[in-house]
Amino acid sequence: MLSIVTALAQNMFFRVEDRIEETLQRSKRNAIFAGIAGLLLLTAYALAVAAISVALAQRYGTVPALLGLAGGVATLALVLIAVLLYLNNRDARLRRRRRQQMRARTQFAAIAAGSAARNPLATAALGVALALFLRPGGRRRDDD
């Protein structure tokens, strides 16, 4: 006869195992459907580019139409790359600022710990200040 703790542990283990299997099956199914949908969207994109190319070729001629289409796509790609570079630089600045704030907090805590040994009343005051300064939540995000 199994103890209650053993039975509960086995039950929890099998539940976790079932959830893992369900998650894997769901992930496989989602990957298959996403792959098929991606292939169909890629086909639709290729057909749309071909249709635009034919329509421009009828109006302006074959070579100017293809060159204009290639130039437009290249311009769009360069704009997207510029946006990506801007976002990466912004994220790097935010990470740098957070690291500096964390270093400042660490130094503040070290000062508080150093003075705590010498003056118990100052320790209590610094403890309250640290609790208010390092409280979780309530911080505003820069991108709000």
Side-chain angles (χ1 to χ4, degrees):
M1 189 160 140
L2 297 174
S3 71
I4 293 175
V5 174
T6 308
L8 288 174
Q10 285 179 346
N11 189 15
M12 184 183 296
F13 174 73
F14 288 125
R15 269 197 222 157
V16 169
E17 189 175 282
D18 289 342
R19 287 182 187 163
I20 291 172
E21 289 176 9
E22 290 173 6
T23 303
L24 285 175
Q25 289 174 354
R26 192 176 332 118
S27 297
K28 287 178 187 177
R29 182 186 65 224
N30 289 346
I32 289 170
F33 280 105
I36 292 170
L39 182 64
L40 292 174
L41 285 173
L42 187 62
T43 303
Y45 172 76
L47 291 174
V49 168
I52 291 171
S53 177
V54 168
L56 289 175
Q58 286 177 350
R59 183 168 178 129
Y60 298 110
T62 305
V63 174
L66 290 175
L67 288 176
L69 191 60
V73 170
T75 303
L76 182 62
L78 290 175
V79 167
L80 287 175
I81 289 171
V83 168
L84 180 66
L85 289 174
Y86 168 76
L87 291 175
N88 286 341
N89 287 336
R90 188 192 69 177
D91 290 344
R93 280 193 313 268
L94 289 175
R95 279 193 307 271
R96 235 181 285 121
R97 186 181 307 152
R98 286 187 195 119
R99 274 194 301 260
Q100 288 172 349
Q101 288 174 349
M102 188 58 73
R103 273 190 296 243
R105 287 179 182 171
T106 304
Q107 290 171 354
F108 185 65
I111 290 170
S115 68
R118 288 177 272 172
N119 191 350
L121 188 57
T123 303
L126 283 174
V128 170
L130 276 175
L132 292 174
F133 184 66
L134 298 175
R135 72 177 186 269
R139 284 181 262 151
R140 293 179 53 193
R141 293 180 56 159
D142 289 337
D143 53 354
D144 283 348

